[in-house]
Amino acid sequence: MLRWLATLVAVACALALASCRAADSSTDGRDDTVVLGWTQIKPRHVQLPLGDPIPTTGATLSTTDGVVLVNIWASYCVPCKKELSLLQSVSAAGTTVVGISRDARASFAEDSLQTAGVTYPNYLDSAADLMVALDGAIPMNQVPSSVILVDGDAVAVHVGPFETADDIDTGLRLARTTS
């Protein structure tokens, strides 16, 4: 019985680690290695907001004009929750930040947003509509990830968590060189 329980716990841990993953593998011969950090992409239009607003923040997206940092996250992802406070400070300093939660229910995201004191707009995208719109620029299950929009066009993606505000500034500088 104890061996069965240990096996069950090991499988549960493996599944939990796979939910916040840094690479995608396939058997179709393609190289699906994910590059962590910022990558410039061919501009493609992304219509925001996607999904339903998460009401806890009390904010809604007013425009996608200019530079917008879109962060894709989920409440079950520890690195995602860790960077919420950093993103809040970047938002408070004047960068337009929008959160896109991949949670199944808004209530899951609301708790994390309230704990982190997030006031920037957040939307629920459990169907991964943003990932589909990005056409493979970010793997479907990769959280956290971020996208920089310039006047509604995705121009750069960041795979993995942000550690510092400098990580975000690097992407913002990259976006300015494409506009």
Side-chain angles (χ1 to χ4, degrees):
M1 177 71 161
L2 189 55
R3 180 173 277 167
W4 180 83
L5 183 58
T7 302
L8 182 62
V9 168
V11 169
C13 288
L15 289 173
L17 288 174
S19 68
C20 288
R21 61 195 175 86
D24 186 24
S25 60
S26 69
T27 57
D28 64 2
R30 295 180 306 163
D31 179 9
D32 285 340
T33 304
V34 175
V35 177
L36 297 176
W38 286 108
T39 304
Q40 240 175 334
I41 62 172
K42 179 181 175 187
R44 60 196 77 173
H45 189 71
V46 175
Q47 184 64 44
L48 289 180
L50 291 165
D52 297 321
I54 299 173
T56 305
T57 58
T60 56
L61 183 64
S62 60
T63 181
T64 56
D65 293 340
V67 176
V68 178
L69 174 65
V70 180
N71 179 253
I72 306 160
W73 68 284
S75 65
Y76 55 80
C77 171
V78 173
C80 297
K81 293 192 305 188
K82 183 179 174 185
E83 72 182 6
L84 288 175
S85 296
L86 174 62
L87 292 163
Q88 176 59 37
S89 65
V90 168
S91 172
T95 299
T96 302
V97 178
V98 175
I100 303 290
S101 171
R102 290 293 315 278
D103 286 302
R105 295 187 183 127
S107 60
F108 298 156
E110 287 174 350
D111 291 340
S112 297
L113 294 170
Q114 285 180 333
T115 299
V118 170
T119 60
Y120 57 84
N122 272 265
Y123 295 86
L124 188 64
D125 184 18
S126 55
D129 291 333
L130 179 57
M131 303 294 212
V132 170
L134 291 171
D135 191 31
I138 298 173
M140 290 297 285
N141 293 324
Q142 178 59 51
V143 292
S145 291
S146 296
V147 181
I148 292 189
L149 305 180
V150 176
D151 296 328
D153 290 335
V155 297
V157 297
H158 185 276
V159 176
F162 296 119
E163 300 296 328
T164 66
D166 286 341
D167 293 343
I168 297 169
D169 288 340
T170 299
L172 296 173
R173 284 191 302 274
L174 182 66
R176 287 185 196 104
T177 64
T178 62
S179 56

